[in-house]
Amino acid sequence: MSRTAVDALEILNFLHHEAHLLDAGKFNAWLELLTDDIRYRVPVRVTRERVHGPGIIDHMSHYEEDRYSLEMRIKRLETEAAWAEDPPSRTRHFVTNVRVEPIDDRHVRVYSNLLLFRSRGDSPSFDLLSAERVDVLRRTDGGWKLAAREVVLDVSTVPTHNLAILF
């Protein structure tokens, strides 16, 4: 098996493992998959005519996080102050159409599609969010780590009560 095929399989396994940790609520274990210099961003999308560009606002985000802010977000989930997630959401991350593009010896850019199912409490209603994720993964001595993530939602009006979840 070629090096490229091995990397692609490792990366696919990484993404599936990450999805499992998020869906299982193992957020501290998820943090271990991140680099110290992580950049995690969910830009705001607007609807525009084609001539005006893709409709992504670079200077406005739903999330604009670094390692510290992600750690604080997760610590908050463990407190009584996290009323938006108590009881916690049930999520299912479906990661598909994974494409890997080498950047250098230690980094790859990973494009994937995400379908995120979310339900809360005993309500029969649920949220479905779809997005494209663009990740930068870094090879470390401990394996692949997430160094950057941009999640571009496919909607301009987010159809959920809050965004207290991770993509």
Side-chain angles (χ1 to χ4, degrees):
M1 191 178 291
S2 73
R3 176 70 180 175
T4 305
V6 171
D7 285 352
L9 184 57
E10 287 176 3
I11 289 162
L12 191 58
N13 286 335
F14 174 90
L15 295 174
H16 289 166
H17 176 65
E18 178 198 19
H20 163 73
L21 293 176
L22 291 172
D23 292 339
K26 298 179 179 180
F27 302 118
N28 287 308
W30 177 77
L31 279 172
E32 296 306 311
L33 300 179
L34 311 181
T35 62
D36 289 340
D37 61 343
I38 178 79
R39 291 289 172 244
Y40 186 100
R41 183 169 182 262
V42 181
V44 170
R45 170 164 254 172
V46 295
T47 302
R48 294 184 178 157
E49 293 176 347
R50 268 188 219 106
V51 297
H52 298 293
I56 307 227
I57 301 178
D58 286 330
H59 62 279
M60 192 182 312
S61 301
H62 297 291
Y63 288 71
E64 186 84 41
E65 309 281 349
D66 60 14
R67 175 71 185 225
Y68 177 77
S69 63
L70 287 167
E71 287 174 358
M72 292 301 103
R73 181 181 287 275
I74 287 168
K75 280 185 181 178
R76 186 176 180 278
L77 286 174
E78 298 170 345
T79 71
E80 291 178 9
W83 55 266
E85 278 300 302
D86 193 15
S89 294
R90 289 180 291 273
T91 63
R92 192 70 55 213
H93 290 72
F94 297 91
V95 182
T96 66
N97 298 60
V98 177
R99 289 103 51 213
V100 179
E101 175 183 285
I103 297 173
D104 58 34
D105 290 345
R106 293 181 52 221
H107 297 88
V108 294
R109 183 168 290 108
V110 181
Y111 300 90
S112 63
N113 294 341
L114 174 70
L115 182 63
L116 177 58
F117 171 90
R118 176 192 194 193
S119 67
R120 291 195 26 94
D122 295 326
S123 172
S125 64
F126 55 87
D127 301 324
L128 276 178
L129 295 169
S130 64
E132 180 182 39
R133 292 192 317 194
V134 180
D135 297 335
V136 174
L137 299 184
R138 180 179 303 148
R139 184 187 298 281
T140 68
D141 291 338
W144 292 102
K145 299 254 182 180
L146 182 63
R149 169 164 289 161
E150 182 171 83
V151 180
V152 179
L153 295 170
D154 291 325
V155 295
S156 56
T157 302
V158 181
T160 184
H161 294 292
N162 65 53
L163 280 178
I165 52 176
L166 295 164
F167 296 94

